[in-house]
Amino acid sequence: RTQAWNSLRRNPLDAERRIQGYINKDDLLSKMAEPDRGSVIYEKVRWIKNWIGRASLEDLERFTEFVTGQNCTPEKRITFSPLSSGLPFPKAHTCACSLDIPHGAIDRNNGSRVLRSADPEEAYSHKTEEKFIEALKDGITAGLKKGFQFA
């Protein structure tokens, strides 16, 4: 007991992290399941991992809160599934610690409604990492604003 107390007194930040939780990029990456190479979402999961490697702490906290309901490194493994709803945003299942990733035809979000756009420049494109991460971040923002029922 004394040894643990002395350790916490020497490094109060460590004590705070143990109590409140924290995000470590390497720990978060190790908690992410790897989909099969042939999966329609394999490339997008790789893009998410790349983004996590360069994301700010605030972005990481928002991501983990969206996927797990907590803004720290999850205890459970994060799993991924394909989502073919036509919506451009991912769908999180906090209890299962999973993220459904959209694929196929993607539409542009216009306010609270998703509309088909005649102009391809107006559409969220998931053909590039940059555009996919833009849709991911917008989906996280919308999901956290609307609560975990957002689809």
Side-chain angles (χ1 to χ4, degrees):
R1 233 198 271 200
T2 304
Q3 186 179 22
W5 175 250
N6 287 336
S7 171
L8 294 176
R9 286 179 55 207
R10 279 192 299 267
N11 190 351
L13 182 58
D14 187 46
E16 181 180 342
R17 287 178 174 169
R18 287 179 188 216
I19 294 167
Q20 295 181 356
Y22 69 101
I23 296 178
N24 175 291
K25 289 181 182 186
D26 292 333
D27 290 346
L28 180 57
L29 289 168
S30 74
K31 293 287 187 176
M32 299 177 82
E34 189 77 29
D36 293 334
R37 277 198 176 275
S39 170
V40 295
I41 60 169
Y42 178 80
E43 187 76 6
K44 292 177 183 176
V45 171
R46 192 175 63 79
W47 291 346
I48 291 171
K49 289 179 177 184
N50 289 344
W51 172 70
I52 285 172
R54 63 180 184 274
S56 68
L57 179 59
E58 181 182 354
D59 281 342
L60 294 177
E61 288 175 344
R62 291 168 48 78
F63 173 78
T64 57
E65 184 175 356
F66 179 67
V67 176
T68 70
Q70 301 175 331
N71 62 358
C72 59
T73 303
E75 292 294 320
K76 294 169 69 176
R77 195 158 184 75
I78 298 173
T79 60
F80 302 94
S81 300
L83 175 68
S84 57
S85 68
L87 296 175
F89 307 121
K91 181 178 180 182
H93 304 277
T94 57
C95 291
C97 202
S98 68
L99 187 67
D100 293 346
I101 298 176
H103 68 93
I106 305 299
D107 297 326
R108 175 76 179 168
N109 180 335
N110 184 1
S112 63
R113 296 184 50 175
V114 176
L115 304 172
R116 291 223 179 261
S117 173
D119 182 359
E121 293 300 315
E122 287 294 312
Y124 278 110
S125 168
H126 287 203
K127 292 183 180 178
T128 68
E129 183 173 351
E130 178 185 351
K131 290 293 187 177
F132 172 72
I133 295 302
E134 177 186 336
L136 172 69
K137 290 169 70 174
D138 287 350
I140 290 169
T141 298
L144 292 176
K145 281 183 182 175
K146 291 189 175 201
F148 299 108
Q149 300 295 320
F150 181 71

